[in-house]
Amino acid sequence: MRYLMMTKPSATNTAPNENLFEEMGKFIEEMTASGVLLATGGLEPGGMRVTARGGEVTVTDGPFTEAKEAVVGFALVEVRSEEEAIEVTRRFYQIIGDGDGVIQRVFTS
Amino acid sequence: MADVHRTVDAVWKLESARIVAGLTRLVHDVGLAEELAQDALVAALEQWPESGVPANPGAWLMTTAKRRAIDHIRRAQRLDRKHEQLARELDTRQQDAPDQSAEPDAEQNDVLRLMFISCHPVLPTEARVALTLRLLGGLTAAEIARAFLTGEQRIVQRMAAAKRTLAEERVPFDLPAGAELAERLSSVLEVIYLIFNEGYSATAGDDLIRPGLCLEALRLGRLLAELAPHEPEVHGLVALMEIQASRSAARTGPSGEPVPLHEQNRGRWDPLLIRRGFTAMLRVRDLGGRPGPYVLQAAIAVCHAQARTAEDTDWRQIATLYEALVRLLPTPIVQLNRAVAVGMAHGPEAGLALVDALTADPTLRDYHLLPSVRGDLLARLGRHDQARVEFDRAAALTRNAAERAFLCRRADELAATTTTAAAAHGSTLGQAAQDFLARDGLDPATARSYRQTLRRLCLALGEQTPLAALTADQVARVFATAWGTAAATTWNRHRSAVRSFTAWAELDVDLAAGLDRRAETRPRAHPIDPAVLDQLFSRVDLPVRERTLWRLLHESAAGVTAVLSLNVEHLDLADRRARTGNTWVTWRSGTAHLLPELLAGRSRGPLFLADRRPAPARMPAGGDLCPDTGRRRLSYERAEYLFKQATKPLDPTGAGYTLRQLKPRD
């Protein structure tokens, strides 16, 4: 089963240091090697807002949800169980520290 | 919210490979390592619900397991001085380099070693699969049993036997090199692909796909690709699995029926997995070298994945790849697939020529895809009558209901387009066979025997084949494929069925014309030359059990099974006889002289005992076990083997004699 993990910016806005980048790189490498991590990436803050109404598609630069609600990173993982998804997330937060996120099951077929 | 037990299980599955691998390096015994790791798991299950899940649960498990490993070595140290040294080394190693396995490279190599040892060629394939899922995937015996639709007890036994074998054979925990590497690696790849295939095209059960096993195999493959990045075949296997897995959703229809590749909705193929497959193939290309079987199969999968519609498929390229594959892997299935590709690339005639060459292969005798492929090629050639017969045959051979319906539909479509229905030719083979078997005056045993013969003919030639079109050549080919290697009596029995059928149907041709009657060898054993027997019986260096058994067989002229089934309490030593079943076994002075020594005071249980006690898992029925010594009854196979060995030097042909030959000429 696949899960999409999305992270929001951390409440205590500590600047990332070298150490964190290195640990994060190791973690991503390990998760990729074990076949768990399928895709991951960081997201441009904000992005564009798209609205479709009556066949009309509008793209605007705002208004956005509150900055702390915006998604800033994602990871698509393939795991055996919900618990495994949680366990992978736990390790992620052990590296980056405080923060909030969402895990959602991705339905494949 | 998930409870702690499930969290422990998830952590365990993510970590077990590393933990067991690290421990195996410490204790040099994969079975022991696994037990120690299990102990740590049990400790987690006991402590975490109270104390909460530790911050780094993987490290916690590793530390706990290592502590147990050191305890174990210390305990063993009191028994063995060699271990003492080991423990001291271990202590210093722990102090000097606090945790050697923390180095990622060492740790990764340990996991790779564990993979090689789990797939070691000394183990039977099933054990390799079970051990790999257990040690690398962290699956429980119950989970493995469920995946393979077998009992948990069997998996437990299989793994226990595997660990024992690894210990007995002293399989080292190291990385193979040179020529051995290729062989060992191919065993690992085979195990992973087996797991994948069991998940992808479930050979048993209700579901066509078992996604759990596919995922385990994919993970193992991806892991191996990271551990052995310079092996093109590893990336080939990963590419093959990723691309095949990309079609999972499109492979089954709404009611669970299989959807063939060319009818699949390609929009449902998973682009993410296809891309991963392509990436793996790029790594293969970068490594270069001559492509192996997995790389070739992956390249074929790539061709299919690149075609936007079934019509766009580059069949010429696929046919070329199959040409290469068939040279490396000349199995009948690969050859059949090549025939399909050649039929698509170079026309049905070329394909048919290849398929026809396979019809005599006994391994494909009951394989429904052979007539199905043949029918397809015939239909494209406009030979609809023959095509219909082939589809009927395929439908009769398949065990899958959805597939049968599909094949019957194809046969019916062809029937509608042809005017030369079988009825125009008179009776069909199927109808004639039914009438032949249903007629009066056939005794049941004969009918049963005839039915076997005609069933085989109908399956091989098609029930719809017009009776008048049958030739002796066709029948001879069926016989060669089906019973070419069977015993002469079997061959002759089927031959007389065909003769009887030909006579009954009043056919113009003799269908048995191509079938020679085979000489039936008399299965009677030639008695051993008395001079040889004298030599044999004078050898007092042999065990008393063997000498008594041989004497008794010779003097009593009784059957081997009857003699081996004798129990001590059946013996009438004074009258030199014993009752077994409804008959008496009697002997003379030679045996009578040896018996007291053989009995050695025993008063009950089997007369002839095996050398060893049976393993707990292979405990025989009570009657075949000696209540005093715990040993089991001597088996026919073992007795026969011992006799052969002992008589090899006496036999002019060097083969040795069989126990039945001890019986004197009547």
Side-chain angles (χ1 to χ4, degrees), chain A residues 2 35 80 84 91 94, chain B residues 15 55 216 219 222 270:
Chain A
R2 288 184 188 166
R80 300 181 180 94
E84 218 172 76
R91 291 195 198 173
Q94 255 166 27
Chain B
E15 299 288 343
E216 293 302 335
R219 277 200 182 180
R222 291 166 186 168
D270 185 338

Side-chain angles (χ1 to χ4, degrees), chain A residues 32-100:
Chain A
T32 308
S34 62
V36 171
L37 186 63
L38 298 181
T40 185
L43 302 179
E44 166 199 5
M48 285 171 284
R49 198 171 179 81
V50 183
T51 324
R53 292 286 179 274
E56 190 91 354
V57 176
T58 330
V59 181
T60 55
D61 283 343
F64 302 115
T65 41
E66 273 188 75
K68 67 178 170 59
E69 285 302 314
V71 172
V72 293
F74 79 96
L76 182 64
V77 295
E78 195 161 44
V79 290
R80 300 181 180 94
S81 59
E82 183 189 285
E83 289 77 16
E84 218 172 76
I86 296 171
E87 182 52 34
V88 173
T89 313
R90 188 202 309 279
R91 291 195 198 173
F92 173 76
Y93 281 109
Q94 255 166 27
I95 296 170
I96 68 152
D98 293 352
D100 297 293

Side-chain angles (χ1 to χ4, degrees), chain B residues 371-372 374-394 407 410-411 414:
Chain B
S372 166
R374 205 166 171 267
D376 198 59
L377 293 164
L378 287 165
R380 284 170 53 203
L381 284 168
R383 292 156 70 176
H384 293 215
D385 274 357
Q386 289 168 292
R388 191 164 52 89
V389 169
E390 289 298 90
F391 284 126
D392 274 328
R393 275 186 57 209
L407 291 162
R410 290 215 61 180
L414 287 167

Side-chain angles (χ1 to χ4, degrees), chain B residues 164-390:
Chain B
R164 209 161 44 233
T165 305
L166 290 174
E168 279 167 6
E169 300 279 332
R170 299 182 178 278
V171 172
F173 187 61
D174 59 8
L175 294 176
E180 205 201 346
L181 176 67
E183 186 206 340
R184 298 279 303 276
L185 189 66
S186 96
S187 172
V188 175
L189 296 175
E190 189 196 339
V191 167
I192 296 177
Y193 198 42
L194 248 165
I195 295 171
F196 181 82
N197 266 325
E198 193 51 40
Y200 192 62
S201 44
T203 51
D206 298 331
D207 307 322
L208 214 52
I209 302 176
R210 283 202 289 276
L213 281 179
C214 286
L215 177 61
E216 293 302 335
L218 271 169
R219 277 200 182 180
L220 287 168
R222 291 166 186 168
L223 179 63
L224 184 60
E226 219 52 49
L227 300 177
H230 304 298
E231 297 296 332
E233 279 288 271
V234 174
H235 299 294
L237 173 65
V238 170
L240 177 62
M241 293 194 298
E242 302 272 14
I243 296 176
Q244 286 190 329
S246 79
R247 303 184 201 130
S248 300
R251 277 179 84 227
T252 41
S255 45
E257 76 277 13
V259 180
L261 187 61
H262 62 272
E263 287 177 17
Q264 285 173 15
N265 175 358
R266 293 177 186 228
R268 296 186 68 195
W269 289 358
D270 185 338
L272 180 67
L273 292 183
I274 292 181
R275 214 190 59 218
R276 291 180 67 97
F278 286 1
T279 309
M281 282 305 266
L282 289 177
R283 295 178 77 174
V284 171
R285 201 183 60 185
D286 290 346
L287 289 168
R290 188 186 292 267
Y294 288 109
V295 169
L296 286 171
Q297 290 176 80
I300 292 165
V302 166
C303 284
H304 287 299
Q306 279 174 331
R308 306 181 72 181
T309 65
E311 292 70 34
D312 285 345
T313 310
D314 185 353
W315 285 107
R316 280 177 179 274
Q317 174 71 9
I318 293 175
T320 311
L321 289 166
Y322 268 117
E323 295 290 337
L325 183 59
V326 97
R327 277 196 293 273
L328 296 178
L329 215 66
T331 67
I333 306 278
V334 172
Q335 295 191 38
L336 185 60
N337 283 326
R338 174 177 66 146
V340 173
V342 168
M344 296 301 281
H346 308 293
E349 206 123 10
L352 191 60
L354 291 173
V355 174
D356 284 349
L358 290 172
T359 50
D361 195 314
T363 51
L364 292 178
R365 194 179 76 184
D366 289 328
Y367 190 54
H368 67 279
L369 285 182
L370 179 62
S372 166
V373 165
R374 205 166 171 267
D376 198 59
L377 293 164
L378 287 165
R380 284 170 53 203
L381 284 168
R383 292 156 70 176
H384 293 215
D385 274 357
Q386 289 168 292
R388 191 164 52 89
V389 169
E390 289 298 90

